[in-house]
Amino acid sequence: MKTVSILFAFFLYGLASCTASKTSPSYAVCRELPDCPALKAAGYDFFEPTVGAFLSPVESDAVFLSHLAEMKELNAKPVSCTIYLPGEYKAVGEAPHHDDIVKWGEKTFQRANQAGIRHVVFGSGGSRYVPAGFDREKAMQQFIAVCKRRDVQSPNGWGRNIAPQPNDFHRGGAMWNRD
């Protein structure tokens, strides 16, 4: 009950702060660019697309530039991108794809910079799943090794941030087994 009271107090404080400053809170939702007109109509201020669909690191520059043009046309504001790595880019296991991850990261952050996106959420559960029977400690070391590479984090000093997916912490943080 004490936790509920504290959360309610924070809610009231936030509401009072917005009222006093004559501003309203901003709302974002994890959806893709084509959904933006409906999101705006529903009162959302920002959207959070996936890296693969919006920044499209494996697609041509023309495809990505068409996303930027559509974003501008819709006056859509991406607050961040989610699902940094697709499941087929394994960060851990018998044959991790670290070099592919580096190439993906380079293009991802180049395009995030162009789109004005400062944060990328490292959800990417399929990339981080520890295969059945694989040593969990070795998997953690593989994951740490690839994450330490400067070119995976934010190449060329573009100042973009990778954030962990918040709901990962109850499942063991960066890694978990499928079973």
Side-chain angles (χ1 to χ4, degrees):
M1 186 64 179
K2 185 177 183 179
T3 303
V4 172
S5 298
I6 291 171
L7 290 173
F8 187 67
F10 278 118
F11 170 75
L12 289 177
Y13 173 77
L15 187 61
S17 296
C18 290
T19 304
S21 67
K22 296 190 185 335
T23 62
S24 59
S26 296
Y27 296 98
V29 65
C30 297
R31 299 300 298 182
E32 299 299 346
L33 187 58
D35 299 324
C36 284
L39 297 175
K40 280 186 174 199
Y44 288 97
D45 303 296
F46 303 96
F47 75 110
E48 184 182 41
T50 62
V51 168
F54 183 68
L55 299 177
S56 308
V58 295
E59 299 292 339
S60 69
D61 287 341
V63 168
F64 172 65
L65 292 174
S66 73
H67 295 169
L68 287 183
E70 185 178 2
M71 182 182 83
K72 186 177 267 188
E73 181 182 316
L74 295 172
N75 194 27
K77 300 172 190 157
V79 66
S80 61
C81 279
T82 190
I83 310 177
Y84 176 46
L85 296 174
E88 62 267 16
Y89 283 51
K90 301 298 182 195
V92 302
E94 292 297 335
H97 302 111
H98 291 187
D99 291 337
D100 292 333
I101 290 171
V102 168
K103 290 176 193 166
W104 179 272
E106 175 73 24
K107 188 59 88 171
T108 294
F109 286 105
Q110 174 191 6
R111 290 180 174 181
N113 187 52
Q114 287 178 270
I117 296 170
R118 297 202 45 83
H119 307 285
V120 175
V121 178
F122 200 131
S124 316
S127 177
R128 295 177 289 126
Y129 278 125
V130 179
F134 192 79
D135 182 286
R136 189 172 173 81
E137 183 59 34
K138 184 175 181 181
M140 183 59 79
Q141 293 308 314
Q142 289 175 326
F143 186 72
I144 290 168
V146 75
C147 287
K148 280 185 172 180
R149 290 177 67 168
R150 174 78 179 131
D151 42 9
V152 169
Q153 295 172 21
S154 184
N156 299 318
W158 282 322
R160 301 297 174 247
N161 300 308
I162 294 181
Q165 185 171 332
N167 67 353
D168 283 351
F169 294 107
H170 79 278
R171 291 188 266 186
M175 314 290 307
W176 65 84
N177 292 3
R178 258 185 208 253
D179 38 329

